[in-house]
Amino acid sequence: MAACSVNPFNGSDSEDENENEKEKSAGDGAPGCRSGALSPKTDSQPAALLSGSKTSPSLEAVPGVSEARLSVDAVAAQLLRDQYILTALELHTELLESGRELPRLRDYFSNPGNFEKQGGTPPLAVSGIPSTGGVQGAPFPDAQTTSTTSSQYGGVVAGSVSTLDSLDFARYSDDGHREADDRVAVLEFELRKAKDTIQALRANLTQAAEREVPSQEKRSFKSSPEIQEPIRPLEKRALNFLVNEYLLKNNYKLSSITFSDENDDQDFELWDDVGLNIPKPPGLLHLYRNGGSRPTFPRSTADIGVGVEAKELLGVSITHETLQEVARIQACDLTVQGPLFEQPEFLKSIGVDLLNSEKQSLAEQIKHLQRYIKARGTQGIVWRPNSFKVATTFSAFRNLSPAFHKALLSFCRTSIDSRLGSEVSHIASSEESLLLTLGRCLPHIVPNVLLAKREELIPLILSTACLHPEPKERDQLLHILFNLIKRPDDEQRQMILTGCVAFACHVGPTRVEAELLPQCWEQINHKYPERRLLVAESCGVLAPYLLDTIRSSLVLSMLQQMLAEDKSDPVREAVVRSLGIIMGYINDPDKYPQGFELMLLSLSDPSERVVCAAHQVLIPALAAWATKMGTLQSQLLTSLLARIEGLIRESDHGLDEHKLRTLLSALQSLTPPLFAMVLQSAPFTPQADPQDGAPPIEVTRFPRPASLLQDVAVIIGSREKLTVLLQLYDHQLEHEGTTGWASLLWVVNQLLPQLIGIVGRISITSTTCVHEFSRFFWRFCRTFGRIFTNTKVKPQFQEILRLSEENVDVTTGNGVLTKATVPIYATGVLTCYNQEEDRKLLVAFLEDVMMTLSLSHAPLDSLKASFVELGANPAYHELLLTVLWYGVVHTSAHVRCTAARMFELILRGMSEALIDKRVAPALITLCSDPEFSVRISTIPAFGTIMETVTQKELLERVKMQLASFLEDPQYQDQHSLHMEIIGTFGRVGPNAEPRFRDEFVLPHLYKLALANNLQAAKTKRLDIATQLFEAYSALSCCFISEELMVNHFLPGLRCLRNDMELLSPEHEVILTSMIKECEQKVESRSIQEPLGSVSLAASLVSEDAKTKFLSKMGQLTTSGAMLANVFQRKK
């Protein structure tokens, strides 16, 4: 094989050079020709390759070529073969400058694998292919495959990312001084290169494997063109690259980022990541414009080896072994470079075997390198100027003492003594170690996170607490969770509660009891209400995940304590909601009395929010529990009714209206559960079958529920089922009645009579109780339906009221008609349905009540309460006017008088058009009534019109009517008329139109006061004086001009003081003070007017005096002893 090492340019007789060349060949130990001496196939004749002898003579010894000119490519090949790299580089540079670039030199210097530091060990044979030997650094024509092969066969040689620009040419200086490279750094570098090689080999194996399509499938694809061949991994990666490139070029950056994230196994910045030796196709736009045409892309291959061409080996003798070796190398070259589907089957198998064996060998080397690097430990890295060479500690090449070695490494800036340094130096290697690391690090991380962003840590804390093996660490993490945010807002609490639910679902009730509940108990008395609110809400959300014994004991006790002791309204509201949730899961009947007491406690809470939460959640949940136990009627409703009756019995000493209202509201919230229970226990319920064709329920069939838990459809289970049950319910009441229906019979025979009896004992003056009972009966009747109301409720009320005229006692009247039964029946029962027949029934009832009470001279309080309650709703104004017109035209003067007084109660809130059209004519008609009592009864209504109406024509008519009362001689001695007018002026004067007050009220009050001084009857004089005192006290708060003050207001007060000096000295003191105050106002105004400005101090004094006077008036009582001391100077 010596012939393969002969230098064809060896024209000198220097034996030293020949000896050096031989030693170099011997050192390489190549059994055959070097890879650099084997160039790829050329167009020269094979005879030219075989025409040389075994020896390599000089050019002069070769016949016919003594005068031949050497080619530049041959010179470049010889320079590279003899490793004259710098000379070859100078040649390459000169050729570039002259525009004659040589492909051999260009490919050589652009291949980073040619500049690796190579070892002197002989190559190894793999898979039966002998090493090609060759010149150091001379790779195969395929640069990537060549570097891979050399790294495998050489053992320590790997591909490099270095290029010619990164070489350290100081190594080739004349002094020859070279320092040893750091062993560990070199191994790490080779490890990275080996991993890259494995990745490339894996991709090539994938390509080789996916091209092996079974012949049967190929035939099926060819025979059926409409069947598309499934996409191959290589094709998918290529298309992914082109799609990402298109997105980037067209500024779809966000789409590109998303696309890259979804294909995280592919590097979109490097086309070579798609596969080995695959040319990059044009972009998607070019492919689209070319339609279905498929352009072919020629495979550009370049010879980057350093071997000579065949024509350069004219005198070389090739042996049989050399030819076999050339054939094997060419087969290997075809296997690595060429497309596998263009090669014969045996070459495919050889290529796959070669790649598999190379992969296995590299994997073994990687394992070896990893073990070596791990054994070496952490090494220092030293960077030298102008070089990329790294050096590890000198212990790999020098005999250093351990102490020196340790002292040397102490200059490395590492820290493993601190807690954080210890955590950083021990990287988690498994899931368990990761959990332990999180458990140790999270307590130190949380305090340093912004409060507004700490909820982002909740998933991490909960996941670690859920999976951590140490109970102590789990407890610490849950403690961090509940103390994560100092004052968590609503959204942050929701996140924490959501995490608690997820934790409870994962760990089960035992760990929830042992780990989560103690955290709640610790914060039950926290100083921040937000933290206590978190505890209250967590008790509710965790209720479904706890054992029943814990729910009914520990959790219930916690909530009971917070409801009784917590001062924050939102906390108690959350407690009540959680109590409602707890009631839905408790199964212990012994806890029912405790739940009932908690319901009463929440209803009596001073906060409206807490009471609302009780109606929305707690009462429906407690009712559902009672229904399940079968005690809704026998215990829950019965207990409430008993408490209401107890309050009524104690009303002789003063009725607790707030407590009664609380119990009535609870009774009202229990109506939907009661009706649902009646439906579910009906005889027809077992046969009820929901049907698709059933008509829908009317929107107004049920009152609007306070919450979904009070919706009858929700309680029943579904709206379809409720529809069927309602149809059967109405049919049963209309045709069959309540026979065999125990639950409904209890409502008819026990509940209704008891409620009506309670209503009859309520005082009519308690407007709050009347209103609440009216609301209850209205919702009760709407819930149980029209048929039930007409057949069961109304008959029981009518039986008690007995509205026939023959039953009226002219002397005492019907006692029931003076109670709250009348307004509650009228406003709670007769108004629950608003059809024509219902309105007629209401009108008839009110007419009968008005007539009955008027003829029996009974108090009108019940009728007034009915008119006030109905008058608050404008929808009933027309109806009430119809009732009053019945009284206006009645034959009895008492009925007409009652009708006149009822007008005052409904005018507020009534439209002016309706007043002008219906009210004013009726009042004018009554003013011409022959009875003076009827005329006088219209005065309060006229005063209310003056107070509420702004229409000038109507006001003038009213003013004229009132003037007729005051100026007509027939009313001069009508004491009751004067009393009614003065009282009306005092009531409406401050709110009436200023013009009406100044021009009509004040002058006529002065006239009445002046006339009262001449009254002979002491009693009448005192009555008028007292009424005038009240009127002047009310009007003193109004702005009165100086003229009116001097001409009407002060003279009237002086006249009134004259009366009070004789009749009521205590009132005289107050009147004297009022007169002085008014006189001071007049004097201050007369002084300020010439000055042309208003004195701020005088104004403040006036306002202060006015305020003091009003406060004194507020303290005024009928006690004469107190009146005398009201204006005494403080000592």
Side-chain angles (χ1 to χ4, degrees), residues 807-857:
N807 291 331
V808 176
D809 188 349
V810 179
T811 58
T812 60
N814 191 341
V816 179
L817 293 180
T818 61
K819 298 292 184 180
T821 309
V822 171
I824 291 174
Y825 175 62
T827 60
V829 178
L830 297 180
T831 61
C832 62
Y833 295 100
N834 200 27
Q835 295 184 2
E836 187 62 29
E837 57 182 13
D838 301 307
R839 297 176 69 88
K840 289 181 178 179
L841 185 60
L842 176 60
V843 169
F845 173 74
L846 293 176
E847 291 175 351
D848 292 343
V849 170
M850 181 173 62
M851 181 190 66
T852 303
L853 292 177
S854 300
L855 295 178
S856 61
H857 302 284

Side-chain angles (χ1 to χ4, degrees), residues 37 45 87 115 200 334 361 426 939 1008 1042 1130:
Q45 295 297 329
T87 306
F115 307 102
L334 288 174
S361 176
H426 295 83
I939 293 176
L1008 291 172
E1042 181 181 355
K1130 292 184 179 180

Side-chain angles (χ1 to χ4, degrees), residues 1077-1113:
E1077 177 73 20
C1078 294
E1079 289 176 348
Q1080 289 176 1
K1081 288 182 180 180
V1082 173
E1083 291 177 0
S1084 63
R1085 291 176 185 174
S1086 61
I1087 293 173
Q1088 291 168 5
E1089 285 180 358
L1091 297 177
S1093 62
V1094 179
S1095 173
L1096 179 61
S1099 176
L1100 291 175
V1101 170
S1102 174
E1103 291 297 326
D1104 183 60
K1106 178 179 178 180
T1107 304
K1108 289 181 179 179
F1109 170 73
L1110 292 178
S1111 64
K1112 296 292 184 181
M1113 289 301 300

Side-chain angles (χ1 to χ4, degrees), residues 395-462:
S395 59
F397 306 101
R398 298 180 182 178
N399 187 15
L400 299 177
S401 65
F404 184 85
H405 185 196
K406 183 177 180 180
L408 185 62
L409 292 181
S410 65
F411 288 94
C412 299
R413 298 185 59 83
T414 60
S415 175
I416 60 174
D417 297 332
S418 63
R419 178 197 60 81
L420 184 58
S422 177
E423 295 291 349
V424 173
S425 62
H426 295 83
I427 302 300
S429 59
S430 64
E431 292 83 355
E432 183 177 359
S433 61
L434 176 60
L435 286 173
L436 296 175
T437 302
L438 287 173
R440 292 190 302 268
C441 294
L442 278 174
H444 303 280
I445 295 174
V446 170
N448 299 307
V449 179
L450 292 175
L451 288 175
K453 295 296 182 181
R454 284 192 181 178
E455 64 267 20
E456 301 291 340
L457 293 172
I458 294 175
L460 200 60
I461 295 173
L462 282 170

Side-chain angles (χ1 to χ4, degrees), residues 40-325:
K41 296 180 182 181
T42 63
D43 296 333
S44 60
Q45 295 297 329
L49 288 171
L50 303 176
S51 61
S53 62
K54 291 184 180 180
T55 61
S56 181
S58 63
L59 290 174
E60 289 82 353
V62 178
V65 296
S66 58
E67 298 299 325
R69 178 184 178 89
L70 291 178
S71 66
V72 178
D73 188 67
V75 174
Q78 182 62 32
L79 290 175
L80 294 176
R81 183 183 302 111
D82 293 340
Q83 289 294 299
Y84 296 119
I85 304 298
L86 293 178
T87 306
L89 178 59
E90 292 180 1
L91 177 61
H92 177 55
T93 305
E94 291 177 356
L95 291 175
L96 282 177
E97 292 176 352
S98 62
R100 295 181 297 161
E101 184 182 16
L102 191 63
R104 182 187 302 275
L105 293 177
R106 179 197 63 198
D107 295 337
Y108 181 86
F109 287 112
S110 62
N111 181 15
N114 295 327
F115 307 102
E116 295 296 329
K117 177 179 174 62
Q118 312 245 344
T121 57
L124 303 176
V126 180
S127 302
I129 302 297
S131 172
T132 59
V135 179
Q136 255 182 323
F140 282 119
D142 188 340
Q144 189 172 359
T145 309
T146 305
S147 63
T148 301
T149 309
S150 63
S151 67
Q152 175 189 351
Y153 296 170
V156 295
V157 179
S160 173
V161 294
S162 302
T163 59
L164 184 64
D165 296 335
S166 64
L167 285 176
D168 184 7
F169 288 101
R171 293 182 297 176
Y172 305 103
S173 60
D174 295 336
D175 57 4
H177 177 68
R178 300 179 181 178
E179 296 183 359
D181 293 336
D182 188 288
R183 179 63 176 171
V184 174
V186 172
L187 293 176
E188 289 178 347
F189 176 75
E190 292 184 351
L191 175 61
R192 291 195 302 270
K193 294 302 297 179
K195 287 182 178 179
D196 294 341
T197 303
I198 283 185
Q199 182 180 1
L201 290 173
R202 185 182 294 111
N204 205 358
L205 284 174
T206 303
Q207 178 182 1
E210 70 179 7
R211 294 192 185 280
E212 290 295 333
V213 181
S215 58
Q216 184 176 359
E217 293 185 11
K218 290 181 179 179
R219 288 194 301 269
S220 64
F221 290 140
K222 292 179 180 180
S223 60
S224 301
E226 67 276 2
I227 302 178
Q228 186 178 7
E229 181 180 355
I231 189 171
R232 300 169 182 172
L234 182 63
E235 295 173 340
K236 180 180 179 182
R237 293 174 67 85
L239 288 175
N240 286 347
F241 187 91
L242 294 177
V243 169
N244 184 72
E245 184 182 47
Y246 168 78
L247 293 174
L248 286 176
K249 287 182 178 180
N250 292 275
N251 290 325
Y252 297 115
K253 296 182 180 179
L254 293 179
S255 301
S256 174
I257 293 173
T258 305
F259 189 72
S260 302
D261 291 340
E262 293 176 348
N263 297 276
D264 54 357
D265 59 341
Q266 185 172 351
D267 183 6
F268 287 106
E269 296 182 358
L270 184 63
W271 168 256
D272 292 339
D273 183 69
V274 174
L276 292 177
N277 292 329
I278 298 176
K280 180 181 176 182
L284 287 181
L285 180 61
H286 183 275
L287 294 177
Y288 173 76
R289 288 175 174 173
N290 282 274
S293 61
R294 184 178 179 182
T296 59
F297 306 102
R299 301 183 58 85
S300 59
T301 58
D303 180 12
I304 58 171
V306 296
V308 296
E309 301 290 343
K311 61 184 180 181
E312 299 174 18
L313 302 176
L314 297 177
V316 178
S317 174
I318 306 299
T319 62
H320 178 69
E321 291 82 5
T322 304
L323 292 176
Q324 290 180 344
E325 187 175 359

Side-chain angles (χ1 to χ4, degrees), residues 548-832:
D548 185 59
T549 54
I550 300 300
R551 280 195 297 259
S552 58
S553 57
L554 177 61
V555 179
L556 189 61
S557 300
M558 291 172 58
L559 293 175
Q560 183 177 8
Q561 176 183 343
M562 296 182 72
L563 180 61
E565 299 177 359
D566 204 288
K567 305 299 182 185
S568 174
D569 293 349
V571 174
R572 295 198 307 277
E573 179 187 6
V575 168
V576 171
R577 295 183 186 277
S578 296
L579 277 173
I581 299 173
I582 292 290
M583 296 299 174
Y585 289 92
I586 294 179
N587 296 318
D588 187 2
D590 297 334
K591 296 295 180 180
Y592 172 78
Q594 185 178 358
F596 181 78
E597 294 299 328
L598 289 173
M599 179 195 73
L600 295 179
L601 181 61
S602 62
L603 288 173
S604 60
D605 195 275
S607 173
E608 193 66 28
R609 298 176 58 178
V610 179
V611 176
C612 183
H615 286 292
Q616 291 177 350
V617 185
L618 181 56
I619 294 178
L622 188 64
W625 188 12
T627 303
K628 181 181 179 181
M629 295 188 299
T631 59
L632 178 63
Q633 294 176 334
S634 60
Q635 290 188 17
L636 185 54
L637 290 169
T638 304
S639 299
L640 285 175
L641 290 173
R643 290 175 181 270
I644 293 174
E645 286 186 330
L647 282 177
I648 299 299
R649 284 193 301 268
E650 298 172 359
S651 62
D652 297 337
H653 307 289
L655 181 62
D656 189 349
E657 293 186 357
H658 176 72
K659 194 170 184 180
L660 180 61
R661 181 181 180 183
T662 298
L663 295 174
L664 277 176
S665 63
L667 200 63
Q668 180 176 313
S669 296
L670 288 173
T671 303
L674 174 62
F675 181 67
M677 190 269 292
V678 168
L679 289 180
Q680 291 172 334
S681 60
F684 52 76
T685 300
Q687 291 80 27
D689 184 18
Q691 301 175 359
D692 296 335
I697 303 174
E698 295 181 6
V699 178
T700 59
R701 171 61 180 83
F702 293 101
R704 179 178 297 178
S707 68
L708 281 177
L709 297 178
Q710 291 189 14
D711 191 346
V712 180
V714 174
I715 300 173
I716 292 293
S718 67
R719 188 160 293 274
E720 292 76 15
K721 185 177 180 180
L722 177 60
T723 302
V724 176
L725 289 177
L726 286 177
Q727 289 180 338
L728 298 174
Y729 168 78
D730 292 339
H731 182 272
Q732 179 85 8
L733 287 179
E734 192 172 3
H735 298 90
E736 302 179 19
T738 59
T739 306
W741 200 344
S743 58
L744 188 60
L745 285 173
W746 181 87
V747 175
V748 175
N749 299 330
Q750 295 187 39
L751 180 62
L752 274 177
Q754 194 171 0
L755 287 171
I756 295 174
I758 292 173
V759 166
R761 295 196 296 272
I762 293 178
S763 174
I764 194 62
T765 58
S766 178
T767 56
T768 301
C769 295
V770 172
H771 178 71
E772 290 300 324
F773 266 106
S774 298
R775 286 185 58 196
F776 167 76
F777 272 101
W778 188 88
R779 297 182 72 90
F780 180 85
C781 293
R782 292 288 300 185
T783 302
F784 277 82
R786 170 185 288 277
I787 298 176
F788 181 84
T789 302
N790 292 334
T791 59
K792 305 300 178 184
V793 180
K794 291 180 180 179
Q796 294 196 30
F797 272 98
Q798 292 169 358
E799 183 181 357
I800 292 175
L801 291 173
R802 301 191 309 274
L803 294 176
S804 57
E805 294 185 9
E806 53 270 16
N807 291 331
V808 176
D809 188 349
V810 179
T811 58
T812 60
N814 191 341
V816 179
L817 293 180
T818 61
K819 298 292 184 180
T821 309
V822 171
I824 291 174
Y825 175 62
T827 60
V829 178
L830 297 180
T831 61
C832 62

Side-chain angles (χ1 to χ4, degrees), residues 372-384:
Y372 183 82
I373 292 172
K374 187 175 181 180
R376 296 301 303 168
T378 307
Q379 304 294 336
I381 299 178
V382 181
W383 293 91
R384 288 189 290 166

